[in-house]
Amino acid sequence: MALVAPPLSLYVHMPWCVKKCPYCDFNSHGLRDTPPPYAEYTGLLLADLDADLADFGAAARGRAIVSVFFGGGTPSLFAPELIARFLDGARARLPFAEDAEITLETNPGTVEHGRFDGYLAAGVNRLSFGIQSFDDDKLKRLGRIHSAAEAEAAVKSAQDAGFANLNLDLMYALPRQELAGALDDVERAIALAPAHISHYQLTLEPNTAFAANPPPLPDDDHAWAMQEACEARLAQAGYAQYEISAYARPGRRCVHNLNYWQFGDYLGIGAGAHGKLSDAAAGTVRRRWKTRHPRNYMEAAGGPARIGGDGAVEAKELPFEYMLNALRLIDGVPLADFAQRTGLPPERIAAPLAEGRRRGWLADDHARLQATTLGQRFLNDVIASFLD
């Protein structure tokens, strides 16, 4: 089967945050006494982009960028002028789609973001707020440095600045959380009328403070009850679930994350950033990731040492990698997309597809790949069935 190059996004990693949260396993680094070299790092991001474009050649050049996502860390520690500098430089190197979605992650604390109107002027057209909860006790248990009042004020400030496309991140199954508390967080988020709400279950990730000293969390049955009740309330308020943890108003699905879940391509720029690129001419899907520590990344200054790993995904691994993303989508994806995005014939997944349908994990629709409600609950098992 012929591999078809999918849409291309750009992920930009900003590795610093004010304080490392105990549940966080992302490549983030709390601030020290000396401020990070934000301006120097911004310049090196562009050097990294130049080097990737030189390495990838025709597989990347000339393809329009459909979305940009500044993740972290806390990207809004970078001043609007630096965000503008990067976006201007990226546009000079790559064509951007006319309606490209450009997201900046931000936290509600006043020390963690610049002026919202400055980010809007820089070209950012979507903000994602890491709120997690509107309960001050739960925020303290999560190690967050903002209050519920600050979260509400920050969202309203962004709206007043002209941002119409906002996402609010919430977590549920928090330490000592009850169903009523999880629903109250959703109610307070709905009251702010964002375009998008992300609703994640708190999990204990390896190499985090919470993993070393686990807090008292609700059991699986209580967590599932929270998920079901919150899903129902979000749907009632007009937020349609389109992915396991994502809910949106009509027309406000996250373009960047949809490209991930549909096994699209993305360049990964910055310390620890991961990228995926399809080379239609060579018939390969390639993954590359950058060295994690900001100091080592910056010392490489756009050179080969900035790369932490690189290589083509083996054919036997592609079905699992594809399903790891696509089956998170509530409506699934056309079966034909599997061949186009992996270059493999559908026969490669015939056996696990048949077994998944027999178990009731996958919809009995031979034109689509879609997890059933039961399959969504046991999604890890469904995805694991596609391992070679």
Side-chain angles (χ1 to χ4, degrees):
M1 302 295 291
L3 184 69
V4 178
L8 180 64
S9 295
L10 177 60
Y11 175 75
V12 187
H13 193 74
M14 321 296 245
W16 293 286
C17 54
V18 173
K19 177 187 174 186
K20 181 82 170 180
C21 295
Y23 58 84
C24 178
D25 68 336
F26 295 151
N27 184 33
S28 58
H29 303 262
L31 298 183
R32 308 280 180 165
D33 295 335
T34 304
Y38 296 122
E40 181 185 359
Y41 185 82
T42 303
L44 293 177
L45 289 172
L46 291 170
D48 189 1
L49 179 58
D50 281 333
D52 270 6
L53 292 176
D55 289 347
F56 296 142
R61 281 204 192 92
R63 295 172 62 184
I65 297 295
V66 299
S67 66
V68 180
F69 196 100
F70 292 95
T74 304
S76 54
L77 286 171
F78 285 68
E81 295 76 16
L82 294 177
I83 299 299
R85 177 184 168 194
F86 177 83
L87 286 173
D88 289 345
R91 282 195 177 94
R93 292 160 170 81
L94 286 164
F96 275 43
E98 187 175 343
D99 58 349
E101 175 193 88
I102 302 176
T103 302
L104 181 87
E105 286 187 330
T106 183
N107 282 336
T110 55
V111 297
E112 298 173 271
H113 60 72
R115 291 170 43 196
F116 290 123
D117 57 351
Y119 292 123
L120 192 64
V124 175
N125 52 31
R126 184 176 184 270
L127 291 177
S128 181
F129 280 94
I131 290 175
Q132 316 313 354
S133 177
F134 289 98
D135 181 316
D136 285 336
D137 174 67
K138 298 297 183 287
L139 288 170
K140 185 175 181 180
R141 290 178 185 272
L142 290 172
R144 306 296 287 173
I145 64 173
H146 67 269
S147 67
E150 287 175 325
E152 291 175 338
V155 172
K156 291 173 182 176
S157 177
Q159 291 167 331
D160 290 343
F163 277 98
N165 196 1
L166 299 180
N167 169 64
L168 307 186
D169 275 350
L170 294 178
M171 287 183 171
Y172 67 95
L174 304 179
R176 301 191 185 282
Q177 188 177 49
E178 301 290 342
L179 175 59
L183 281 169
D184 185 64
D185 278 345
V186 168
E187 288 292 347
R188 293 181 70 172
I190 291 170
L192 291 168
H196 191 287
I197 294 174
S198 299
H199 191 244
Y200 302 93
Q201 181 177 349
L202 173 63
T203 55
L204 302 182
E205 301 296 340
N207 303 314
T208 62
F210 270 5
N213 295 288
L217 299 180
D219 62 28
D220 289 344
D221 287 341
H222 284 87
W224 181 250
M226 291 178 193
Q227 180 179 332
E228 285 193 311
C230 292
E231 280 179 10
R233 180 64 190 103
L234 286 163
Q236 184 184 46
Y239 292 90
Q241 185 183 20
Y242 66 100
E243 187 268 345
I244 292 294
S245 303
Y247 304 77
R249 298 277 198 193
R252 291 299 194 182
R253 295 182 176 189
C254 178
V255 173
H256 189 85
N257 286 341
L258 269 175
N259 196 35
Y260 286 157
W261 297 322
Q262 293 169 346
F263 213 52
D265 283 352
Y266 49 97
L267 297 170
I269 304 302
H274 283 240
K276 167 191 170 285
L277 200 68
S278 303
D279 188 333
T284 59
V285 175
R286 180 176 179 178
R287 289 203 180 275
R288 167 177 284 189
W289 56 97
K290 306 300 168 56
T291 187
R292 287 177 58 86
H293 199 283
R295 180 180 62 250
N296 296 336
Y297 173 83
M298 294 183 70
E299 287 174 352
R306 79 192 191 287
I307 300 173
D310 189 8
V313 182
E314 292 186 36
K316 66 180 182 179
E317 297 172 351
L318 280 171
F320 172 77
E321 292 230 5
Y322 182 86
M323 298 301 172
L324 189 64
N325 294 279
L327 289 181
R328 292 184 63 91
L329 291 169
I330 300 303
D331 294 335
V333 295
L335 179 58
D337 282 8
F338 171 79
Q340 292 182 353
R341 301 289 166 97
T342 65
L344 300 175
E347 291 75 24
R348 288 292 294 268
I349 55 172
L353 275 183
E355 179 65 10
R357 288 167 180 152
R358 186 189 69 80
R359 288 174 174 259
W361 288 348
L362 298 174
D364 192 15
D365 182 343
H366 291 262
R368 294 192 71 76
L369 295 167
Q370 182 183 14
T372 61
T373 301
L374 179 65
Q376 290 167 16
R377 184 168 187 182
F378 298 102
L379 194 59
N380 288 341
D381 295 319
V382 182
I383 294 168
S385 69
F386 288 90
L387 284 167
D388 184 61

